[in-house]
Amino acid sequence: MLNLVLFGPPGAGKGTQSQKLIDRYELVHISTGDIFRAHIANQTELGQRVSQLIADGELVPDSITIAMLEEEIDKNPQARGFIFDGFPRTVAQAEALDHFLESKDSGITGVIALDVTEAELTARIAKRKAISNRADDDSEKLKKRIEEYFHKTIHVLPYYERQGKLTKVNGIGDIEVIFNEISGVIDGFNNG
């Protein structure tokens, strides 16, 4: 089973690259953001709680995020693998994901971190906001999300680096060039 974590700050291109990887490797995409948005759109009790947290620029508590993630994995027993987008955001989440996958006789195959500068992120998200008007792209909330990434989330990378699973890829440039580099990394996992 090919289980990937695609890592990077808001606006790094995770969504774009995830879709291309799903198509090439026939993976099931698990995006915590998409899961949250679906719960919000369906106005579930959980969605209402998540909605307020996201509106305030806060991270959703691990217990909620992990339960939703496990539910999504369990919905796809025939999957060839998963691509995790926007998760894990903390070492505790990474450990919980490892334990859950181990209980399914699986694990994370590799972690690909998209390296993008803060200036590039700000420009990309301003452009995305103009097109899709996502609530979490508001400038103050965005600043908080980027700070959250660079002060908290980035600490997950050494966790995977110690496991020998981390590869960094330049996330600035042509989408196809970045995709080909990521695919080369994944093909290396399959042949390793």
Side-chain angles (χ1 to χ4, degrees), residues 50-171:
V50 168
S51 180
Q52 188 57 54
L53 290 165
I54 290 174
D56 293 340
E58 300 293 330
L59 288 180
V60 177
D62 286 355
S63 57
I64 294 173
T65 306
I66 291 163
M68 289 173 27
L69 197 79
E70 290 176 358
E71 182 181 295
E72 288 298 310
I73 291 170
D74 287 340
K75 282 184 196 171
N76 295 282
Q78 304 305 317
R80 295 180 68 179
F82 295 92
I83 184 163
F84 297 95
D85 172 359
F87 186 90
R89 290 183 188 230
T90 64
V91 172
Q93 288 180 356
E95 290 169 343
L97 181 58
D98 278 352
H99 292 306
F100 179 70
L101 290 174
E102 284 167 15
S103 78
K104 303 278 185 193
D105 293 321
S106 193
I108 294 298
T109 309
V111 177
I112 299 169
L114 294 172
D115 248 350
V116 183
T117 63
E118 281 192 58
E120 177 72 12
L121 296 173
T122 304
R124 285 184 186 181
I125 292 177
K127 186 175 176 184
R128 181 172 79 186
K129 180 164 176 55
I131 295 167
S132 68
N133 202 25
R134 274 177 44 176
D136 56 346
D137 285 345
D138 172 71
S139 61
E140 276 309 305
K141 291 174 191 155
L142 171 62
K143 186 174 178 226
K144 195 170 185 177
R145 287 170 57 224
I146 290 174
E147 284 174 4
E148 187 86 36
Y149 176 83
F150 283 108
H151 291 109
K152 292 183 183 175
T153 309
I154 203 159
H155 298 296
V156 175
L157 294 180
Y159 173 81
Y160 286 115
E161 195 166 31
R162 284 190 296 276
Q163 294 180 8
K165 295 180 179 177
L166 176 67
T167 305
K168 292 183 180 179
V169 171
N170 181 1

